């Protein structure tokens, strides 16, 4: 009786230990850290797991994942990184802002990023081909597509002489994106109004300014901040009847007029592949930064009709996805 009681007690205690803690004893643990909320990354997590699976790793079978979310508060990132390092994790994966915090904290734990800005310019790696150190990742071209988005917006709203642009000032690639769009607007002879927003109040104030100054169309800057505020941004654009273009299809899926950009979900699948290769012994510094090759143009025809816009047939023909 005493022996059976002892076994039962031991089994119950083991069952009460968090899964990842027990798993850590027999399998590697990956730290997954993003500056956003968990809700903003559901599709990315699924894609990351697929990339791991492509290299032979399945969560719960031969690898564990510890998730951490800064929920838009970048000041929390250093503490979250510290938690993961002392778990300890075999490597850390996440967005550019989070991985910059990770790089500042460790030179030994491998880091794999998914970044839309310039990984070299932001200080993530020394070189795309030869990253060196403990960092590598996937570059999915965020801000550098600003001029292309402006061109597509001009095709939809050719008579818009004044274009509004809303950006988050602390997003790593904001300045490059701002310069890119400003140069393109100057060439096309359009007036560009660029305003910064770091919170809900500043977003509301910016939209009021855009309307007051007669903006005929709107370009939303790329980055985690605008993505996490996508419902608000799309709703305000609809309220003010501003034709707007965005950097991710998730905006168009909830009513945004148009989006053009790399597939971030596919970028996270690629980070999963790199994570698996590193777990198998490859060094991150020897793995070139991968570049996304999958770009998506998404048009929301329901929104176009609501705005009274006629979508050119040539634009329709080039769209990867059309929402009726």
């Amino acid at each position: 009786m005493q022996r059976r009681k002892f076994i039962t007690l031991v089994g119950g205690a083991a069952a009460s230990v968090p899964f990842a803690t027990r798993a850590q004893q027999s399998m590697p643990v990956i730290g997954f850290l993003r500056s956003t909320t968990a809700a903003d990354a559901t599709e990315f997590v699924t894609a990351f797991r697929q990339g791991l699976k492509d290299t032979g790793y399945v969560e719960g079978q031969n690898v564990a994942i510890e998730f951490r979310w800064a929920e838009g508060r970048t000041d929390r990132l250093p503490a979250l990184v510290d938690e993961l390092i002392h778990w300890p994790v075999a490597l850390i994966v996440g967005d550019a802002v989070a991985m910059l915090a990770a790089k500042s904290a460790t030179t030994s734990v491998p880091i794999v990023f998914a970044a839309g800005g310039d990984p070299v310019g932001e200080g993530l790696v020394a070189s795309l081909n030869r990253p060196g150190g403990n960092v590598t990742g996937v570059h999915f071209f965020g801000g550098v597509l600003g001029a292309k988005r402006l061109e597509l917006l001009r095709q939809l709203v050719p008579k818009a002489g004044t274009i509004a642009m809303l950006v988050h000032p602390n997003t790593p690639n904001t300045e490059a994106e701002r310069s890119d769009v400003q140069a393109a607007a100057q060439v096309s002879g359009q007036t560009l109004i660029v305003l910064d927003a770091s919170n809900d109040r500043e977003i509301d104030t910016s939209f009021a300014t855009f309307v007051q100054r007669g903006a005929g169309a709107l370009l939303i800057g790329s980055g985690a901040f605008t993505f996490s505020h996508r419902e608000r941004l799309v709703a305000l654009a609809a309220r003010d009847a501003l034709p707007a273009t965005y950097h991710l299809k998730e905006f168009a899926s909830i009513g945004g007029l148009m989006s053009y950009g790399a597939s971030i979900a596919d970028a996270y699948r690629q980070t999963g592949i790199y994570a698996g290769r590193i777990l198998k012994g490859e060094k991150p510094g020897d793995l070139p930064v991968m570049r996304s090759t999958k770009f998506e143009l998404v048009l929301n025809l329901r929104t176009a009709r609501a705005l009274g816009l006629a979508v050119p047939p040539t634009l329709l023909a080039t769209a990867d996805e059309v929402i009726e």
Side-chain angles (χ1 to χ4, degrees), residues 13 20 38 40 52 114 133 150 156-157 165 169 187 194 217 228 251 265 280 289:
D40 288 334
L52 280 175
L150 181 61
L156 263 180
V157 197
M165 182 178 182
V187 170
V194 186
S228 64
F251 288 87
K280 290 181 177 181
V289 174

Side-chain angles (χ1 to χ4, degrees), residues 36-97:
T36 67
T37 65
D40 288 334
T42 302
E43 185 180 3
F44 305 156
V45 171
T46 300
F48 176 71
R49 287 183 172 125
Q50 182 58 54
L52 280 175
K53 187 176 181 181
D54 292 344
T55 60
Y57 287 96
V58 178
E59 185 182 10
Q61 294 183 15
N62 56 359
V63 69
I65 306 176
E66 270 297 309
F67 294 96
R68 295 290 186 276
W69 313 97
E71 299 181 335
R73 291 181 50 193
T74 55
D75 59 300
R76 296 181 58 197
L77 288 170
L80 294 175
V81 169
D82 190 62
E83 282 183 28
L84 293 173
I85 290 174
H86 289 90
W87 188 268
V89 294
L91 58 95
I92 302 175
V93 174
D95 62 19
V97 176

